[in-house]
């Protein structure tokens, strides 16, 4: 085929191609920034197996869809992004299989699709959300009122678990849950017990550089641990904030770690408030901490 014919065919295809606009994915490193409870949103998405919190729609959405009850859930059946109940209630899942580079936009689209869906019907949510409002735009924002659950029974309406298939699925989901307790000593801090040990994980609210410097100061001073028998395991970098993790002896229950964590929060707050340049020893400690950091995406 001649170049002229190739060019002619290519040109004739362009109008059709322009009709198919490709969605562009954009990575947002701190998708929950600007929300009143950014650390808790991150904790529920990355650390907590079964919890829920009520959400309130922005006034503009209430005007359009009515004041429908909306519940944020750590996860929904089959990791669905959203569900609607026959009575009009909406559930939004934080932990899901498909996501774009902007988690806030993903959740906003799931909420809007659920509001547009017939109550009780299946909610269809696009894999890539495209441009549009984010959580910060569609919610009447405030601190999250978190309820912890021992299992996923809160998914179900009354009588739904009488179906043997539903009951079996629920049993499998519940069996995957490690015991997890929300600690009162620090905001967005959680204790959990896994087969061989326990952990405390805490989502720090400060900007990453401030938090890292504070942890480096504590590491250099030898005051990074939560007490005897504990180990600083490292940290996650989750949605732009740091999440330090401590390994603990397996047996003591969560309540036993409230006082040690309270003491640590005082040390951490003092270190985070310091504006002094890091010493050589603290800079070395900071480099060591960076080597023990894992980024969650």
């Amino acid at each position: 085929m001649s170049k002229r014919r190739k060019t002619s065919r290519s040109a004739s295809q362009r109008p059709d191609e322009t009709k198919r606009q490709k969605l562009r994915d954009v990575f947002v490193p701190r998708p929950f920034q600007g929300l009143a409870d950014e650390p808790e949103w991150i904790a529920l998405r990355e650390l907590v197996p079964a919890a829920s919190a009520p959400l309130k729609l922005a006034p503009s959405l209430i005007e359009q869809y009515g004041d429908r009850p909306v519940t944020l859930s750590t996860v929904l059946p089959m990791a669905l992004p959203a569900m609607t109940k026959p009575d009009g209630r909406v559930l939004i899942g934080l932990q899901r299989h498909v996501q774009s580079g902007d988690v806030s936009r993903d959740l906003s689209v799931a909420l809007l699709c659920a509001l547009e869906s017939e109550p009780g019907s299946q909610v269809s949510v696009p894999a890539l959300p495209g441009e549009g409002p984010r959580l910060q735009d569609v919610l009447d924002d405030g601190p999250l009122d978190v309820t912890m659950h021992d299992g996923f029974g809160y998914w179900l309406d009354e009588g739904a678990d009488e179906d043997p298939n539903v009951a079996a699925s629920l049993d499998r989901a519940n069996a995957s849950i490690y015991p997890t307790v929300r600690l009162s000593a620090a905001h967005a801090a959680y204790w959990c017990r896994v087969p061989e040990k326990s952990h405390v994980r805490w989502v720090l609210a400060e900007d990453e550089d401030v938090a890292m410097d504070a942890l480096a100061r504590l590491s250099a001073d030898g005051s990074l641990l939560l007490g005897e028998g504990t180990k600083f395991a490292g940290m996650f970098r989750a949605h732009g904030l740091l999440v330090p993790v401590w390994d603990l002896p397996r047996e003591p229950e969560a309540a036993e770690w409230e006082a040690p964590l309270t003491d640590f929060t005082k040390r951490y707050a003092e270190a985070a408030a310091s504006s002094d340049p890091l010493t050589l020893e603290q800079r070395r400690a900071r480099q060591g901490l960076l080597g023990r950091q894992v980024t969650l995406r």
Side-chain angles (χ1 to χ4, degrees):
M1 185 182 295
S2 69
K3 289 184 178 180
R4 180 176 298 175
R5 290 181 62 189
K6 286 183 179 179
T7 303
S8 176
R9 177 173 293 183
S10 177
S12 67
Q13 290 174 339
R14 282 175 194 146
D16 293 333
E17 291 171 355
T18 58
K19 293 178 183 178
R20 305 188 207 123
Q21 294 182 353
K22 292 186 178 180
L23 294 178
R24 181 168 168 264
D25 193 13
V26 177
F27 176 63
V28 178
R30 280 183 70 174
F32 303 111
Q33 187 174 23
L35 292 172
D37 218 346
E38 180 185 11
E40 199 68 78
W41 280 88
I42 294 172
L44 294 181
R45 180 173 167 84
E46 302 296 345
L47 308 180
V48 181
S52 61
L55 300 176
K56 186 171 178 58
L57 296 175
S60 60
L61 266 66
I62 292 178
E63 183 177 346
Q64 184 174 358
Y65 299 105
D67 194 6
R68 294 173 62 178
V70 179
T71 298
L72 178 71
S73 174
T74 48
V75 67
L76 292 176
M78 298 178 290
L80 290 172
M83 296 172 60
T84 64
K85 297 292 187 177
D87 61 4
R89 288 178 294 136
V90 170
L91 283 75
I92 304 300
L94 263 173
Q95 303 167 17
R96 46 190 274 191
H97 292 311
V98 179
Q99 63 188 38
S100 73
D102 184 359
V103 176
S104 176
R105 176 70 180 128
D106 290 338
L107 296 169
S108 172
V109 167
L111 173 58
L112 294 173
C113 288
L115 292 172
E116 291 283 355
S117 300
E118 196 70 26
S121 67
Q122 185 173 353
V123 180
S124 178
V125 179
L128 287 180
E131 297 180 357
R134 307 173 73 240
L135 280 177
Q136 293 82 342
D137 305 311
V138 300
L139 297 180
D140 185 1
D141 190 27
L144 293 177
D145 182 13
V146 176
T147 298
M148 301 291 292
H149 302 282
D150 294 331
F152 294 110
Y154 69 95
W155 286 343
L156 304 179
D157 296 324
E158 187 175 352
D161 57 350
E162 295 176 3
D163 182 325
N165 293 325
V166 172
S169 176
L170 191 62
D171 287 343
R172 287 193 297 270
N174 290 340
S176 69
I177 295 177
Y178 291 129
T180 303
V181 176
R182 192 181 188 212
L183 299 175
S184 60
H187 189 63
Y190 289 83
W191 171 94
C192 73
R193 174 176 285 152
V194 296
E196 296 182 355
K197 64 185 73 172
S198 296
H199 301 290
V200 163
R201 299 177 288 188
W202 178 24
V203 184
L204 303 179
E206 289 74 20
D207 288 343
E208 184 178 352
D209 286 342
V210 173
M212 184 64 79
D213 285 354
L215 294 175
R217 296 178 198 277
L218 296 176
S219 179
D221 293 343
S223 54
L224 198 56
L225 303 183
L226 295 185
E228 186 177 352
T230 68
K231 175 186 175 183
F232 185 77
M235 70 192 83
F236 301 122
R237 184 176 182 269
H239 305 294
L241 296 184
L242 294 184
V243 187
V245 180
W246 291 268
D247 288 345
L248 314 174
R250 186 180 187 279
E251 293 308 320
E253 298 296 327
E256 299 296 320
W257 300 103
E258 293 281 11
L261 184 58
T262 296
D263 292 340
F264 180 84
T265 62
K266 295 174 182 176
R267 300 196 300 272
Y268 172 80
E270 183 177 349
S274 175
S275 58
D276 295 337
L278 295 182
T279 65
L280 178 59
E281 185 177 1
Q282 290 168 346
R283 291 199 300 273
R284 287 174 177 164
R286 193 181 197 278
Q287 286 300 116
L289 291 174
L290 285 171
R292 299 162 72 181
Q293 176 179 286
V294 176
T295 299
L296 299 181
R297 288 279 294 275

